[in-house]
């Protein structure tokens, strides 16, 4: 697999990463053996960037990854870990904590669960409105100095917060939703990252499966987080599935899968973008990773743009509760009020 560098100061990684969230949380039950086989298949195919969050299954995802990496050389893998989201025993949300003392605490548990003595990229999952971003980034920078972290990342923050963070320490990448139906970053966030030399790890490139070519009205019977996600409900879903059908026509003409075209589109948006594939089955990985070898011509890209113009999808990308925690969806940093 070809390589891409994450930002001016970040590590080189295979140009597709693997996001492991769905192997532990949010998308209904996952098959443990199949998840591990998917992780190994991705690594064998040249993936180096493995993304997780300490709150994915409240630690389950990190322990699963540790098992999947057993027997591999640590230096062949780039571990990206998000922290700060608080969970309760029932899996509910209990806010965010990215204060300096929380950074140290979360990191110490993550190192143990992953069975490693350093994390390649460590990032707060969301902006903690109670903790100035300078304090959070400064605390991670201390862990870089101490050798427990190699690079600092951000997640779902807006341009003002990115600038404040980058003034404290080098930022390798911003992890943020970016897909054919989630192009909000193109206005301000992506240009800001480019100006500052910060890479992008794009998540939900398949819009959580909606753009996979396998989603249908019937799939919404499954009791997972997508059942209430605005793009997956009612008329919104019906409309959004018509966009997928338009994409299917283009994919068919190229002899490719819908998923591969959607991932290839994300790859085509710039050498500073590394899409995270969210596969949790080997067949999904095979289908999506075909994007790595799928060249999209200028005509293909124009046809895709015509099929799914910017802003074509109906429904917000998160529920109202979750949207309220996205600094990336605000014009002004959430922290302008925090002294
Ligand atoms: N920073 C953040 O706020 C944030 C938020 C969300 C995710 N992330 C990270 O980004 C990663 C990717 O996000 P995502 O999992 O939502 O990505 P995605 O690739 O948009 O969706 C993945 C889901 O789509 C379905 N799918 C169907 N066909 C597929 C195919 N051919 N290839 C891959 N998936 C297919 C699978 O669900 P079924 O098996 O149910 O069909 C799979 O779990 C996550 O794992 C996580 O590491 C970060």
């Amino acid at each position: 697999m070809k390589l891409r560098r994450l930002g001016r100061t970040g590590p080189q990684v295979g140009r597709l990463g693997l996001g492991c969230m769905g192997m532990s949380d949010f998308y209904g039950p996952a098959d443990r053996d199949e998840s591990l086989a998917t992780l190994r298949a991705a690594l064998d195919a040249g993936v180096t960037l493995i993304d997780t969050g300490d709150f994915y299954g409240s630690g389950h995802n990190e322990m699963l990854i540790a098992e999947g990496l057993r027997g591999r050389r640590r230096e062949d893998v780039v571990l990206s870990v998000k922290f700060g989201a608080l969970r309760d025993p029932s899996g509910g949300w209990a806010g965010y904590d990215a204060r300096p003392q929380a950074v140290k605490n979360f990191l110490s548990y993550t190192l143990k669960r992953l069975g490693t003595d350093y994390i390649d990229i460590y990032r707060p999952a969301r902006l903690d409105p109670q903790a100035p971003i300078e304090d959070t980034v400064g605390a991670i920078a201390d862990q870089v100095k101490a050798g427990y972290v190699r690079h600092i990342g951000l997640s779902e923050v807006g341009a003002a917060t990115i600038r404040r963070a980058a003034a404290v320490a080098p930022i390798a990448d911003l992890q943020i939703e970016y897909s054919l139906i989630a192009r909000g970053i193109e206005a301000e966030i992506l240009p800001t990252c480019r100006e500052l030399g910060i890479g992008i790890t794009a998540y939900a490139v398949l819009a959580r499966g909606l753009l996979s070519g396998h989603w249908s009205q019937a799939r919404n019977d499954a009791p997972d987080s997508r059942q209430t996600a605005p793009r997956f409900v009612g008329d919104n879903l019906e409309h959004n599935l018509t966009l997928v059908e338009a994409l299917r026509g283009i994919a068919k003409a190229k002899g490719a899968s819908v998923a591969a075209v959607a991932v290839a589109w994300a790859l085509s948006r710039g050498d500073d973008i590394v899409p995270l594939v969210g596969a949790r089955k080997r067949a999904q990985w095979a289908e999506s990773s075909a994007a790595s070898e799928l060249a999209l011509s200028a005509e293909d890209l124009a046809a895709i743009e015509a099929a799914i113009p910017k802003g074509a999808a109906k429904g917000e990308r998160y529920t109202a509760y979750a949207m309220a925690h996205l600094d990336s969806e605000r014009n002004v940093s959430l922290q302008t009020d925090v002294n």
Side-chain angles (χ1 to χ4, degrees), residues 118-140:
Y118 69 93
I119 301 302
D120 296 274
I121 314 176
Y122 201 50
R123 68 183 86 241
R126 295 287 182 269
L127 184 68
D128 173 356
Q130 307 306 321
I133 191 68
E134 288 83 354
D135 291 4
T136 303
V137 168
I140 307 175

Side-chain angles (χ1 to χ4, degrees), residues 18-23 27-29 50-53 55-56 61 82 123-126 154-156 175-177 202-215 219 224 226 257 259-260 263 276-281 283-289 318 326:
L18 183 73
C20 300
M21 181 180 82
M23 297 177 184
Y27 296 161
I50 302 295
D51 184 69
T52 182
F55 51 93
Y56 292 167
N61 204 236
K82 294 180 291 296
R123 68 183 86 241
R126 295 287 182 269
L154 297 170
S155 168
E156 284 291 355
Q175 189 173 112
I176 196 156
E177 183 167 355
Y203 77 77
V205 173
L206 296 185
R208 303 174 184 273
L210 182 56
L211 286 179
S212 67
H214 301 293
W215 202 265
R219 273 296 305 261
D224 68 51
R226 293 169 289 196
S257 68
V263 176
L276 291 175
V277 171
R280 54 198 188 142
K281 296 181 184 136
Q284 292 173 340
W285 165 255
E287 198 176 55
S288 285
S289 61
Y318 279 94
L326 295 181

Side-chain angles (χ1 to χ4, degrees), residues 168-229:
V168 175
I171 304 295
D173 69 319
L174 168 70
Q175 189 173 112
I176 196 156
E177 183 167 355
Y178 188 42
S179 74
L180 272 163
I181 63 165
R183 293 175 61 175
I185 70 168
E186 290 175 3
E188 195 187 5
I189 291 175
L190 185 55
T192 302
C193 286
R194 287 184 169 157
E195 177 196 325
L196 298 173
I198 296 171
I200 299 283
T201 48
Y203 77 77
V205 173
L206 296 185
R208 303 174 184 273
L210 182 56
L211 286 179
S212 67
H214 301 293
W215 202 265
S216 64
Q217 294 278 1
R219 273 296 305 261
N220 266 28
D221 289 345
D224 68 51
S225 65
R226 293 169 289 196
Q227 218 175 28
T228 52

Side-chain angles (χ1 to χ4, degrees), residues 10-339:
Q12 263 205 336
V13 294
R15 67 180 185 155
L16 292 178
L18 183 73
C20 300
M21 181 180 82
M23 297 177 184
S24 301
D25 222 338
F26 305 119
Y27 296 161
D31 181 308
R32 184 182 180 81
D33 290 341
E34 186 60 30
S35 294
L36 288 168
T38 305
L39 175 57
R40 291 176 184 133
L43 292 166
D44 291 344
V47 161
T48 57
L49 179 66
I50 302 295
D51 184 69
T52 182
D54 59 10
F55 51 93
Y56 292 167
S58 299
H60 178 274
N61 204 236
E62 291 179 322
M63 292 188 285
L64 184 78
I65 290 169
E67 188 176 335
L69 294 181
R70 211 158 287 148
R72 307 226 173 212
R73 295 190 327 164
R74 175 65 184 86
E75 59 270 34
D76 292 342
V77 183
V78 174
L79 289 171
S80 156
V81 181
K82 294 180 291 296
F83 69 91
L86 306 177
R87 307 293 296 267
D88 68 27
S90 71
W93 296 102
Y96 294 93
D97 190 351
R99 294 169 302 151
Q101 61 268 48
V103 171
K104 278 192 267 189
N105 176 67
F106 285 131
L107 178 60
S108 66
Y109 285 82
T110 277
L111 291 169
K112 290 275 185 255
R113 283 188 294 252
L114 280 167
T116 181
D117 50 12
Y118 69 93
I119 301 302
D120 296 274
I121 314 176
Y122 201 50
R123 68 183 86 241
R126 295 287 182 269
L127 184 68
D128 173 356
Q130 307 306 321
I133 191 68
E134 288 83 354
D135 291 4
T136 303
V137 168
I140 307 175
D142 287 345
Q143 298 306 315
V144 173
K145 279 189 210 111
Y148 295 118
V149 171
R150 294 267 160 97
H151 301 277
I152 304 170
L154 297 170
S155 168
E156 284 291 355
V157 289
T161 304
I162 295 167
R163 287 188 189 284
R164 286 172 58 173
V168 175
I171 304 295
D173 69 319
L174 168 70
Q175 189 173 112
I176 196 156
E177 183 167 355
Y178 188 42
S179 74
L180 272 163
I181 63 165
R183 293 175 61 175
I185 70 168
E186 290 175 3
E188 195 187 5
I189 291 175
L190 185 55
T192 302
C193 286
R194 287 184 169 157
E195 177 196 325
L196 298 173
I198 296 171
I200 299 283
T201 48
Y203 77 77
V205 173
L206 296 185
R208 303 174 184 273
L210 182 56
L211 286 179
S212 67
H214 301 293
W215 202 265
S216 64
Q217 294 278 1
R219 273 296 305 261
N220 266 28
D221 289 345
D224 68 51
S225 65
R226 293 169 289 196
Q227 218 175 28
T228 52
R231 288 181 172 165
F232 286 82
V233 295
D235 293 348
N236 289 352
L237 178 62
E238 200 174 317
H239 168 82
N240 294 336
L241 286 175
T242 65
L243 302 176
V244 180
E245 288 318 302
L247 193 62
R248 194 187 303 281
I250 295 165
K252 211 169 164 190
K254 285 195 70 69
S257 68
V258 178
V261 172
V263 176
W265 176 88
L267 275 172
S268 79
R269 303 303 287 173
D271 288 345
D272 51 352
I273 295 173
V274 174
L276 291 175
V277 171
R280 54 198 188 142
K281 296 181 184 136
R282 279 168 291 183
Q284 292 173 340
W285 165 255
E287 198 176 55
S288 285
S289 61
S292 188
E293 304 302 324
L294 182 64
L296 296 177
S297 66
E299 292 75 36
D300 293 333
L301 291 170
I304 292 170
E305 187 73 40
I308 309 188
K310 207 175 197 170
K314 284 195 179 161
E316 300 277 18
R317 55 196 184 95
Y318 279 94
T319 59
Y321 171 82
M323 285 293 277
H325 289 98
L326 295 181
D327 181 66
S328 51
E329 292 289 337
R330 289 181 188 85
N331 290 326
V332 180
S333 167
L334 184 66
Q335 298 200 332
T336 47
D337 299 343
V338 176
N339 294 315

